[in-house]
Amino acid sequence: MSRRAVLWIAFVVVHAVVAWLGWVLPNAAMGDVYLVYERWSAAWLNGGYVDPAIYGLTTVREYVGFVGINEPWVYPQLAIIPMLLTHALAWLVSYTPAWAILVTLADAAAFALLVGRGRSRGRVTAAWFWLAFILLLGPVGLYRLDGFTVPLVLAGCLWLVGRPWLGSALLSIAVWMKVWPAAILAGAVIAVRRRFALIGAALAVSAVTAGVVAVLGGASNMLGFVGDQAGRGLQIEAPISTPYLWRSVFMLPDSAVFYDPDMLTFQVSGPFLNEVIAIMTPLLALAVLSVAGLGAYKMLRKASFAALFPPLSLALALAFIVFNKVGSPQYMVWMIAPLVMGLVIDRRRWARPAVLGLVAALLTFIVYPLLYDGLMLTYPYALPTLALTLRNLAVVALFAWTMVILVRVPVRAPLEWPTLTRPSRARTASAPVPELVENA
């Protein structure tokens, strides 16, 4: 049996197991799908209303509105697309398993692009890593919107050099579904020489999206997701919340865990909480700008795409996790595409960071959904808090490790200013990134 056949068998088994785990494990890891995704998309298909007999508990038709258009929304507007597409499959089973099928199909398309003919050791190693990550993270990586954006981002990364317009378009579409792919797109604009194509495609996707939203009457809610995120408190899974969680474990004054019904999340309270909340957004911006600045410096000194893009994109993605007020477990999927690219390009150098990423995924699975009940208490238990602390330490360690790799990226020239002109064809072969830099 060929390596490619074994990989595809493993792909089917892993996705089937993870989809099944969503139904049998505690804390309803697929809850977002049937609690909110289905309701939001059903309202789009039914004039803004949902049928209580199917989607809710009320006795009359409930007006939900068109989220992102005439109602503010936590997500960018294109997030509604996979939610609507799921209804095309829901007649076969029901909405929740249809979502799992949709994400699996999207994964399969990106997986086929990654594996190719199965002859590249870097591609094969990266494919096994991706499957291991999906399995270790568990159902939260499948039954969340973030899971649908991962294959878009991965395909976009694989096409960045050979087909920059297409690669940037995929990344930009993903950004308009969830904000996090902006970190990968920013890393690409810095590291790819044909950045004019990347910027042009990103502007085109954004212009079309903004135009359609405006025509539909949603101009006032165009960037509603930005204000929604800025107004959040400290979610229990965020790294910055770790000290407050331990204060709650030891029942120290003014420290506890509480449920926010508006955000559908558990948050922490404690001393100086408002001050910490106030500085987190500027701190996140400073961290992202610092990483991007270092990447730009390396680019100006002619660092190669193969050496620069994986650590830069991973550092940017991890900065969004480490310095975030929100720490939802599905955020771990943000590191998949950069680690896959690192393994494709240089599997030996990126083996250890990839293993640490898998450790973070496993610890996340242990926390959610397995031990999450112990965190949701006003005074959480020590064991789940310890598991979450170890997970956060693993993510911070991976961020620090990635920054070291980024600092050590070799350069080939003195500082020089970039250009937006198109390089010669001889310097931009049409082959995808994996083939171009396989032996770099």
Side-chain angles (χ1 to χ4, degrees), residues 31-57:
D32 279 17
V33 177
Y34 62 79
L35 289 175
V36 288
Y37 298 176
E38 186 176 14
R39 285 168 52 81
W40 287 331
S41 54
W44 268 70
L45 297 174
N46 293 281
Y49 290 88
V50 293
D51 184 349
I54 302 175
Y55 303 111
L57 301 176

Side-chain angles (χ1 to χ4, degrees), residues 18 30 68 71 74 82-83 103 112 126 132 140 148 153 167 200 241 253 280 294 307 317 320 343 360 399 406 419:
V18 172
M30 70 290 194
E71 296 290 335
V74 68
M83 300 177 192
V103 175
V140 73
F148 184 83
V153 171
S241 300
M280 286 309 296
L294 178 57
F320 271 97
L343 291 169
F399 175 67
L406 183 58
T419 176

Side-chain angles (χ1 to χ4, degrees), residues 1 10 19 32 52-53 91 105 123 128 130 155 167 175 185 192 218 220 227 229-230 257 272 298 318 335 422 436-437:
M1 185 179 297
D32 279 17
W91 66 274
L105 292 174
R123 290 180 177 221
W128 281 115
W130 187 14
V175 170
L185 182 57
V192 176
S220 61
Q229 295 294 330
V257 171
F272 305 107
K298 293 289 184 176
L318 289 172
M335 67 179 76
R422 183 188 297 271
L436 185 66
V437 296

Side-chain angles (χ1 to χ4, degrees), residues 152-153 156-157 160 166-176 181 184-185 188:
L152 293 178
V153 171
C157 289
L160 277 175
L166 179 57
S168 179
L170 288 175
L171 289 172
S172 301
I173 290 170
V175 170
W176 278 98
I184 312 300
L185 182 57

